Amino acid sequence: MWYVITDGPMKILKVNTTATTTECAPKMVEKHRSEWTTEDQKKANLDNVAKDILYKTLDKKMFAKIKTCTTAKEIWEKLTQLCEDKDQTKENKLTVAIQKFDNAKMKPGETLTEFEERFSSIIIKLIFLGKEYSNREIALKVMRALPR
């Protein structure tokens, strides 16, 4: 399956009996769909299977960015391009997340559940970016973030 993602859809080939290459090796030509065996159909369908797997792993925002791609290889190349974080970009994201952590306060009218969800998303983002706080640091921050 990985070959379909890295090399593109499989071509179903057969030996061309009317021509040979200069080294006397048989020349390969693409099979017509009417000649496909069950095994050939499975190979030809691998690109659809790979696309389906890739689609199922994406959220709506990311799916919108790749929905025009026609092959699993195109999808993978687009995702690689979109998701490659350069060091500077990652550092900027980390700085912003640390600032959000440092400035986290419970908003007026915000329920404890809403605050917990918002604060948890900040912690998750920090962990994803490689910054982790101890449970003690997190507990102290939460206590300071709550209104008196």
Side-chain angles (χ1 to χ4, degrees):
M1 174 104 48
W2 186 247
Y3 294 115
V4 174
I5 292 173
T6 57
D7 300 339
M10 294 183 88
K11 293 185 178 177
I12 310 302
L13 303 175
K14 68 177 180 177
V15 175
N16 184 352
T17 54
T18 59
T20 59
T21 61
T22 55
E23 296 87 31
C24 294
K27 184 177 178 181
M28 303 300 283
V29 293
E30 210 164 325
K31 269 188 188 180
H32 189 270
R33 280 185 187 258
S34 62
E35 301 175 286
W36 286 5
T37 63
T38 305
E39 192 64 31
D40 292 338
Q41 290 171 348
K42 287 179 184 177
K43 287 179 184 177
N45 194 44
L46 279 177
D47 189 62
N48 291 330
V49 173
K51 285 191 305 186
D52 186 55
I53 291 169
L54 290 170
Y55 289 155
K56 287 179 180 177
T57 62
L58 301 174
D59 60 14
K60 289 178 185 178
K61 186 177 177 184
M62 196 60 93
F63 178 77
K65 294 177 182 180
I66 59 96
K67 67 181 177 184
T68 59
C69 297
T70 56
T71 65
K73 181 179 180 180
E74 285 179 40
I75 293 169
W76 187 255
E77 288 171 352
K78 182 78 168 188
L79 288 172
T80 303
Q81 177 188 355
L82 291 169
C83 296
E84 274 185 348
D85 276 348
K86 296 188 171 46
D87 291 336
Q88 186 65 39
T89 304
K90 185 175 180 180
E91 195 167 314
N92 290 342
K93 287 180 180 180
L94 181 58
T95 302
V96 169
I98 290 171
Q99 287 174 345
K100 283 183 179 180
F101 176 82
D102 292 341
N103 299 327
K105 295 276 186 218
M106 192 166 172
K107 298 175 182 176
E110 185 176 39
T111 66
L112 194 55
T113 304
E114 292 168 340
F115 171 72
E116 188 270 331
E117 287 174 2
R118 188 168 54 86
F119 189 75
S120 291
S121 71
I122 294 169
I123 297 297
I124 290 167
K125 188 168 212 163
L126 284 165
I127 292 169
F128 178 75
L129 294 168
K131 176 74 172 165
E132 291 191 42
Y133 291 97
S134 69
N135 287 341
R136 185 176 193 282
E137 291 173 303
I138 293 170
L140 286 171
K141 181 61 192 166
V142 168
M143 296 303 285
R144 288 186 199 118
L146 297 174
R148 294 200 176 265

